[in-house]
Amino acid sequence: MTHPNVIAVQHALDAADARNHAGDGCRVIVLDDGVHTAAAAAAALGVAPAQIANSLIFEVDGEPLLVLTSGGHRVDTAKVAADLGVAKLRRATPEFVREHTGQVIGGVAPLGHPKPVRTLIDTALAAYGEIWAAGGVPQAVFPITYPELLRVTSATPAEVA
């Protein structure tokens, strides 16, 4: 697929020298259909939903916050807000998501954005040797390890559920 978002994500992975569970360079793959949910992605990939790194964008005081949560969890927004010392996390509008990531809801990748986005990663994802993240559009995904995802995103590990 030559979609600009997929290309941007692949370039970001290459620039970071991101590696998958086998030690090979991470490669974005394009599925036949869009996978807008962790359950759909897991079914398409033959993995557990908890191995899917859901990308959720929140608005915090006008700035984006990307929370990469295990597909087996729901973000506890009150807990995350308290941990961050902010009054409230708001689910971002589709327009806000596109403005800050250049991507659409359902396909937001953990990297490849126009500028860096503050990111938290669910510590529950560390339980898996291989996790899957969105590749910039709803039908694109890539495999990566938890330590690599932490490294390439400069994210903060967090208990988000």
Side-chain angles (χ1 to χ4, degrees), residues 24-131:
D24 299 323
C26 290
R27 292 283 166 250
V28 177
I29 63 168
V30 179
L31 304 170
D32 291 335
D33 297 309
V35 287
H36 296 274
T37 66
L45 296 166
V47 300
Q51 288 178 260
I52 304 299
N54 275 341
S55 299
L56 304 173
I57 296 285
F58 294 91
E59 184 178 349
V60 180
D61 299 328
E63 293 296 319
L65 172 70
L66 172 57
V67 178
L68 298 170
T69 186
S70 167
H73 286 158
R74 295 190 69 77
V75 174
D76 181 339
T77 56
K79 176 187 182 344
V80 173
D83 290 349
L84 294 174
V86 299
K88 185 176 183 181
L89 298 183
R90 282 188 208 89
R91 280 302 284 263
T93 65
E95 297 78 21
F96 185 88
V97 171
R98 185 180 289 273
E99 174 188 349
H100 291 281
T101 68
Q103 302 165 0
V104 297
I105 292 173
V108 174
L111 68 176
H113 311 132
K115 60 183 185 180
V117 174
R118 183 178 183 190
T119 304
L120 302 178
I121 298 181
D122 188 349
T123 54
L125 288 166
Y128 300 95
E130 177 183 65
I131 55 179

Side-chain angles (χ1 to χ4, degrees), residues 1-19 25-30 53 55 66 68 97 100-104 106-115 117 131-144 148-149 151-153:
M1 176 179 256
T2 58
H3 191 284
N5 290 351
V6 174
I7 293 168
V9 171
Q10 187 63 62
H11 283 299
L13 289 166
D14 292 345
D17 194 28
R19 299 286 158 186
C26 290
R27 292 283 166 250
V28 177
I29 63 168
V30 179
S55 299
L66 172 57
L68 298 170
V97 171
H100 291 281
T101 68
Q103 302 165 0
V104 297
V108 174
L111 68 176
H113 311 132
K115 60 183 185 180
V117 174
I131 55 179
W132 289 82
V137 295
Q139 58 271 46
V141 294
F142 65 91
I144 194 165
E148 275 294 89
L149 191 56
R151 183 183 69 79
V152 303
T153 60

